[in-house]
Amino acid sequence: MGMVRFGMATGTNDPLHDSFGRQITYLRLSVTDRCDLRCGYCMSETMAFLPKADVLLLEELATISEAFVRRGVRRIRITGGEPLVRRDIMTLIARLGAMIHSGARSDVRSGTLDEVTLTTNGTQLSRHADALAAAGVRRINVSLDTLDDRTFTQLTRRAVLSDVLAGIDAAQRAGLTVKINTVALKGINIDEIPAIIEWAHGRSMTLTLIEVMPMGEGMHANHAYFYPLTEMKDRLSTRWSLAPLPTRTGGPARYMRVRETGGQIGFITPLTENFCAGCNRVRVTCTGSLYGCLGHGQKVDLRAALRGPSPEIALEEAFAAAMIAKPDRHRFEAAREQHQPAVARHMSVTGG
């Protein structure tokens, strides 16, 4: 699938709705494809990163974000790669943080945000935690698949688990709410997951489990890693009492409370329990490609819109085209059955 072409802009600040009536209120904004880890299910060991000239300026990423907020986006999550390796990233986060409304409620047309959040691998958190809190960030997700040094080094190809744990300490000291994201990896960390949950709950952190997704050329081993979270729920239910919760944080996770620990477990199940009917998200890469779906290749070029003669009009045209192009659902299940990636791009390109 290629680039979507678009026509006339509407010139409206009305909330964005796709062809299936779903309102878009959540933007996942990738600020870099680079990362200081090399997790095997996310990128290849010999990953070729984008030339810096192809990457949008922070000012351009801010302009895109502000345009989305004018159209009703309420939450922005900063992603990567690893977002905190981008030089001067805090200037962008502070600019977005200034858009967070201070009142009890905000109107969809007010041009303000409910929150700015961040997904990080935690390696750089010790340096940035205080600045994130000062910029208005209140909660972050830290991707962490194991607490075992050897397994961590095997998974990430970097021996920096202690840096990640120190970063989590720093984030909590700064007053940030930390949620742990753990990808369930068959043959790697499945038996360790109960211990990771107990560790997270012991530190008042929610833990969300995620099914590995078939993405990226040459990533056929992801199929071998796949472990259905329906089975994990069954395993955890033999150990603890789990109760469904109505908790929602703007994303696809469904939550359960563990009576014995008092903590929460989230489940993101793109393959075993499809949640696309309630999708409220779009994704923008660091090069300005706007994707309506993580599992599809169709995109709209926001960089061309920004750098053309009439960027405001062109952005509106691009948004309109993206709403038409956004599919009803991903096709991860079919890709897994065929042992093929759903899309050629690696997870690190789109930011999850």
Side-chain angles (χ1 to χ4, degrees):
M1 295 183 184
M3 195 72 66
V4 175
R5 300 191 181 279
F6 41 87
M8 296 299 293
T10 62
T12 179
N13 283 339
D14 289 341
L16 291 168
H17 289 85
D18 68 12
S19 299
F20 304 95
R22 297 171 297 193
Q23 184 175 342
I24 306 305
T25 59
Y26 185 6
L27 170 64
R28 296 183 67 100
L29 182 69
S30 174
V31 297
T32 181
D33 69 325
R34 296 172 184 266
C35 187
D36 50 355
L37 301 182
R38 296 292 184 273
C39 297
Y41 58 82
C42 183
M43 61 177 65
S44 66
E45 189 168 5
T46 57
M47 192 75 179
F49 295 112
L50 293 164
K52 291 185 179 180
D54 291 350
V55 176
L56 293 180
L57 302 174
L58 294 175
E59 176 73 22
E60 292 174 315
L61 291 169
T63 297
I64 289 171
S65 300
E66 289 162 355
F68 270 109
V69 173
R70 286 194 298 272
R71 298 297 303 274
V73 162
R74 315 307 306 148
R75 292 180 171 86
I76 296 179
R77 178 171 294 279
I78 305 297
T79 68
E82 168 48 45
L84 295 181
V85 302
R86 172 104 192 230
R87 185 176 181 181
D88 296 327
I89 186 58
M90 289 310 307
T91 61
L92 173 64
I93 294 175
R95 180 165 168 176
L96 298 180
M99 299 174 68
I100 300 172
H101 69 87
S102 56
R105 294 185 61 187
S106 63
D107 185 81
V108 72
R109 300 173 187 272
S110 65
T112 59
L113 285 167
D114 291 338
E115 66 173 355
V116 176
T117 58
L118 180 87
T119 294
T120 174
N121 63 28
T123 60
Q124 308 296 318
L125 262 179
S126 291
R127 295 194 297 116
H128 292 289
D130 289 334
L132 287 168
V137 175
R138 294 293 172 258
R139 64 186 185 94
I140 62 172
N141 292 359
V142 177
S143 300
L144 181 62
D145 300 326
T146 180
L147 294 172
D148 180 81
D149 273 306
R150 181 177 296 180
T151 305
F152 184 92
T153 302
Q154 175 190 354
L155 276 173
T156 67
R157 306 183 182 110
R158 300 292 187 270
V160 292
L161 176 59
S162 60
D163 293 342
V164 175
L165 298 178
I168 292 170
D169 289 341
Q172 290 194 309
R173 285 197 303 270
L176 298 173
T177 297
V178 178
K179 179 165 74 70
I180 302 298
N181 286 350
T182 299
V183 179
L185 299 164
K186 184 178 180 180
I188 304 292
N189 68 350
I190 298 303
D191 292 338
E192 188 189 355
I193 283 175
I196 302 174
I197 292 170
E198 289 180 329
W199 167 79
H201 289 181
R203 300 191 52 155
S204 300
M205 298 185 295
T206 294
L207 183 138
T208 293
L209 295 170
I210 305 171
E211 290 176 340
V212 69
M213 288 170 264
M215 294 183 63
E217 287 183 325
M219 303 297 284
H220 304 298
N222 279 8
H223 298 284
Y225 290 147
F226 175 73
Y227 187 88
L229 289 186
T230 49
E231 291 186 20
M232 179 56 66
K233 285 181 186 177
D234 291 342
R235 290 183 63 164
L236 296 178
S237 294
T238 66
R239 183 185 185 100
W240 294 311
S241 301
L242 305 181
L245 292 171
T247 304
R248 297 296 299 275
T249 59
R254 301 297 183 267
Y255 291 91
M256 305 190 83
R257 180 171 297 282
V258 180
R259 186 178 67 185
E260 290 80 357
T261 68
Q264 296 183 26
I265 307 173
F267 296 87
I268 297 180
T269 54
L271 282 87
T272 57
E273 296 176 334
N274 186 278
F275 45 72
C276 294
C279 184
N280 62 345
R281 298 170 295 287
V282 293
R283 293 166 169 83
V284 174
T285 73
C286 62
T287 60
S289 292
L290 168 55
Y291 289 95
C293 178
L294 183 64
H296 280 258
Q298 202 166 45
K299 60 185 177 180
V300 173
D301 185 3
L302 300 185
R303 183 172 60 185
L306 277 174
R307 296 179 180 178
S310 302
E312 186 173 345
I313 293 174
L315 278 178
E316 290 301 326
E317 291 177 341
F319 290 172
M323 293 303 97
I324 294 171
K326 184 173 170 64
D328 61 335
R329 56 168 295 170
H330 63 69
R331 296 292 184 269
F332 285 136
E333 304 97 322
R336 181 171 66 87
E337 290 171 1
Q338 297 166 10
H339 286 259
Q340 295 292 328
V343 290
R345 69 183 185 276
H346 292 275
M347 181 73 77
S348 59
V349 173
T350 323

